[in-house]
Amino acid sequence: MQPSFVLRQALQLALTANALKPPRNARTAVPAFFAGWLTGELAPHLLALTAADAAAHVARHRGRSSKAGLALAAASAAGLGTLIAQSQRARGEIETALTEGIGEAYTGELVHPPSPTDLATPWGQLALPFRMRDPEVRRKRNIAYAPGGKRFLLDVYSPREPVTGAPILLQVHGGAWMIGNKDQQGLPLMLHMAKRGWICVAINYPLSPAVRWPAHIVAAKRALAWIRDNAASYGGDPSFVAVTGGSAGGHLAALLALTANDPAMQPDFTEADTSIQACVPHYGVYDFAATSGRRSSQARLKTLIARHVFEADRDPVNFLDDYIAASPLDRITEDAPPFFVIHGVHDSLVPVGEAREFVRRLRETSKREVAYAELSGAQHAFDVFPSIRSAHVVRGVERFLEWSYRTWRRRSTAS
């Protein structure tokens, strides 16, 4: 026996099995997420490592190879192959979501409809998934959008060649309202959109428990007000701002889109235009107040939101209206902008049922288009770095955003 080889392959098989079918248990949600997220998005790399490890083992131990270890490696390889196939399904799932949500003829609105080359898996980019730079994109860092230090800074991504009147994408990071920063999330999408001529803005905002709600959304609206006042100097069109974000950032993005010009969330800048023209939340928290009665939403409300995000004396029983005011699920109106909601079927932190209910209510109430993509095999945070799945998602989001911008321009001109 070669215990180290067997142990490595047993560990890899356990990680693969978790990614294929994560346990549905609140106590294991966080470790299941971390293990499943990395395994699923790095499946091609892990498959190559598994094959290389098995080949090296056979070469070193001719005639004495561990049959158990090789069997484990074969099972892992089969599972990783399944994960890769699931990731490739994102291309069709995204396209189906767009045609069902905004119409089969939506590509007619696009200046550059997608070509087969554009839709192909960018294997060269995926070979180094954590190298997220692009020579065609310029980044201006740490611009203050309000007084208060590093939590009130933003970065602007723009095409290397100067532009004017470009549409704007606002990126809001996640992290349970308590961790994270603008350098860690949304980079694949922002680099792609900036390369395609957009201005992208990534913001920090104050975090709990140092601050309590509604400081997070007030800061996001301050950043939006800054964009409206300053985007033109960076080549942007301040009249069109789309917003995106993941997890807690998806919550804040959706809430921004659904609470345009709400004076309670912009206390000393009520004159600012905080409307949003399109919204693309990824694996967002929508049932903030747990009014749906879902067990996972109630657990999050009690153990995280009420304890660490809201003021300690604002319990959900006696101050439910305060939580409802912060809940996208409960703030939907007919004036909501176009939405493209994206969620993973295997999300351990925000179960997919929450997104389904949010989309159902949006479609029931909003006058605008609502697209919804449910991604096979996807965990939370599937878009943080370039992967097969995130590459297809990024290109699909680009198509939705371009459609939104062109449609908005046409409607604005007509009115």
Side-chain angles (χ1 to χ4, degrees):
M1 290 288 288
Q2 290 78 34
S4 59
F5 174 65
V6 173
L7 183 60
R8 287 197 302 274
Q9 297 307 321
L11 176 60
Q12 180 56 68
L13 182 57
L15 291 171
T16 303
N18 171 72
L20 287 167
K21 192 173 182 179
R24 298 296 183 187
N25 187 309
R27 285 177 291 185
T28 61
V30 173
F33 149 62
F34 275 110
W37 160 52
L38 291 171
T39 303
E41 302 311 314
L42 294 173
H45 308 76
L46 294 173
L47 178 58
L49 288 173
T50 298
D53 192 17
H57 171 76
V58 171
R60 285 196 306 267
H61 302 282
R62 296 181 184 275
R64 301 181 292 109
S65 299
S66 168
K67 293 182 179 179
L70 291 174
L72 291 169
S76 290
L80 290 166
T82 299
L83 291 172
I84 293 169
Q86 288 179 338
S87 296
Q88 291 285 18
R89 288 181 204 163
R91 173 179 172 176
E93 291 165 340
I94 290 290
E95 184 59 22
T96 297
L98 292 174
T99 57
E100 290 181 350
I102 60 181
E104 293 186 1
Y106 83 92
T107 56
E109 294 279 354
L110 308 183
V111 175
H112 303 293
S115 67
T117 301
D118 184 55
L119 295 176
T121 302
W123 291 108
Q125 179 189 25
L126 305 186
L128 298 171
F130 301 110
R131 184 181 181 275
M132 287 181 277
R133 296 190 300 274
D134 194 305
E136 297 182 43
V137 176
R138 184 191 308 273
R139 180 182 182 184
K140 294 187 177 179
R141 300 173 182 262
N142 297 328
I143 303 164
Y145 65 85
K150 66 180 180 179
R151 297 312 311 177
F152 295 90
L153 300 178
L154 57 78
D155 294 346
V156 176
Y157 296 76
S158 59
R160 179 65 60 179
E161 297 298 323
V163 294
T164 57
I168 299 165
L169 178 65
L170 169 59
Q171 156 68 28
V172 187
H173 73 77
W177 306 274
M178 296 193 297
I179 60 173
N181 67 65
K182 57 186 170 56
D183 302 316
Q184 297 170 340
Q185 298 171 32
L187 291 173
L189 177 60
M190 288 190 292
L191 291 173
H192 184 82
M193 296 306 298
K195 189 174 179 178
R196 295 300 176 97
W198 284 56
I199 301 298
C200 300
V201 180
I203 65 168
N204 279 342
Y205 54 88
L207 301 174
S208 294
V211 303
R212 299 298 176 128
W213 188 269
H216 320 70
I217 189 65
V218 171
K221 284 182 175 281
R222 286 190 187 281
L224 180 53
W226 181 95
I227 290 170
R228 288 258 147 74
D229 290 340
N230 296 276
S233 64
Y234 295 89
D237 176 1
S239 60
F240 183 93
V241 181
V243 64
T244 187
S247 195
H251 162 258
L252 292 170
L255 195 62
L256 273 175
L258 296 170
T259 60
N261 305 318
D262 183 341
M265 295 180 177
Q266 46 194 91
D268 56 354
F269 54 109
T270 55
E271 75 290 348
D273 176 11
T274 59
S275 63
I276 290 290
Q277 283 61 60
C279 185
V280 189
H282 296 58
Y283 43 91
V285 174
Y286 308 112
D287 190 13
F288 194 82
T291 55
S292 71
R294 294 183 61 84
R295 185 177 301 175
S296 58
S297 300
Q298 292 173 336
R300 181 179 59 232
L301 176 62
K302 293 176 183 177
T303 62
L304 173 61
I305 294 173
R307 186 176 299 176
H308 300 293
V309 180
F310 262 67
E311 293 290 349
D313 62 351
R314 288 284 195 261
D315 67 273
V317 175
N318 296 317
F319 295 91
L320 181 59
D321 287 349
D322 292 347
Y323 290 84
I324 288 175
S327 180
L329 191 67
D330 300 294
R331 296 299 302 265
I332 297 169
T333 71
E334 64 177 14
D335 297 321
F339 265 79
F340 186 13
V341 179
I342 308 173
H343 217 93
V345 172
H346 285 170
D347 196 315
S348 295
L349 301 185
V350 184
V352 67
E354 189 164 328
R356 291 172 184 165
E357 177 62 13
F358 180 61
V359 168
R360 185 190 71 78
R361 295 195 194 183
L362 265 175
R363 288 175 169 168
E364 187 176 74
T365 305
S366 175
K367 294 185 295 186
R368 296 301 185 196
E369 296 83 355
V370 180
Y372 175 52
E374 203 166 281
L375 304 180
S376 302
Q379 255 291 358
H380 207 71
F382 56 78
D383 64 327
V384 169
F385 56 84
S387 66
I388 294 172
R389 181 179 287 110
S390 70
H392 291 311
V393 169
V394 162
R395 265 86 61 82
V397 171
E398 178 204 357
R399 299 197 296 279
F400 174 81
L401 289 173
E402 186 182 347
W403 171 87
S404 297
Y405 180 54
R406 300 296 169 186
T407 301
W408 172 84
R409 286 185 62 182
R410 175 167 49 78
R411 290 169 175 168
S412 298
T413 302
S415 60

